[in-house]
Amino acid sequence: MERSDEVLKRAASRVGVKALAAELRLSPALVYKWCQPWDPGDPDSSGARNPLDRVVDIVRLTGEHDVVNWVCHQVGGFFTPNPEVKPEHMSAALLHGAQRLVKEFSDMLEEVSRSMADDGAIEPREAARIRHHWETLKRVAEEFVVSCERGLFDQRENGSPR
């Protein structure tokens, strides 16, 4: 897996460190430091903790994936955590995964119905609740599909293809 400084360095190279620093109203020296390896155990490390490392720390400390989902949403995407792999629970997990997917879809439709039944229109705060249900549904669906792609629901005795 790439280090955060490598990702940031590649991104900064697209526009140039000086241009990026100017847009962020930061010194180019700081942005250059973010693009260098940082090792908290090495006092001679030339890099500095960068914003990517800090976002990871926030999520790790809070356990709140909505932080990452918010960042993804700001750039036109959404966050989907990788599913936890526990092969010993896969037969039950398939049914649970399918049920969870249907439940999340049902919750979203219920929110739409409730919003329309209220006054025949979807108000901004209702749309925000619908968006929240939609984002949850997308994450649940992606987890289910990735689990299928990884073969986590293979219930055959030896788990090999027929």
Side-chain angles (χ1 to χ4, degrees):
M1 178 193 283
E2 280 185 291
R3 295 185 323 257
S4 64
D5 61 278
E6 295 170 324
V7 172
L8 205 49
K9 183 177 184 176
R10 187 176 58 251
S13 72
R14 296 175 70 88
V15 295
V17 169
K18 291 179 182 178
L20 180 61
E23 283 294 319
L24 295 174
R25 297 179 188 260
L26 299 169
S27 73
L30 177 59
V31 178
Y32 276 117
K33 283 203 157 292
W34 286 348
C35 297
Q36 296 172 359
W38 176 73
D39 180 357
D42 181 3
D44 295 327
S45 179
S46 61
R49 291 197 41 77
N50 65 52
L52 299 178
D53 295 321
R54 292 174 189 271
V55 169
V56 169
D57 288 344
I58 291 168
V59 173
R60 188 178 300 127
L61 292 169
T62 66
E64 189 57 57
H65 287 150
D66 279 346
V67 172
V68 178
N69 194 46
W70 181 87
V71 172
C72 294
H73 186 73
Q74 296 304 305
V75 295
F78 67 96
F79 172 69
T80 303
N82 291 327
E84 187 174 348
V85 177
K86 289 187 178 181
E88 65 274 12
H89 301 296
M90 283 305 111
S91 61
L94 174 62
L95 181 57
H96 175 73
Q99 289 172 333
R100 186 167 175 226
L101 185 59
V102 169
K103 181 197 176 302
E104 293 300 337
F105 186 69
S106 175
D107 288 351
M108 186 191 71
L109 291 178
E110 184 178 331
E111 188 66 48
V112 171
S113 296
R114 202 174 20 244
S115 297
M116 289 302 293
D118 180 36
D119 60 3
I122 296 177
E123 304 293 329
R125 65 180 165 64
E126 294 167 330
R129 287 196 307 266
I130 293 167
R131 167 60 67 187
H132 177 75
H133 283 290
W134 174 242
E135 296 299 334
T136 301
L137 174 60
K138 288 192 296 188
R139 285 194 298 272
V140 169
E142 183 64 17
E143 288 175 19
F144 183 77
V145 171
V146 167
S147 295
C148 291
E149 291 170 341
R150 290 184 180 174
L152 300 182
F153 300 132
D154 191 343
Q155 297 179 18
R156 294 170 289 196
E157 284 189 34
N158 64 2
S160 61
R162 293 185 186 183

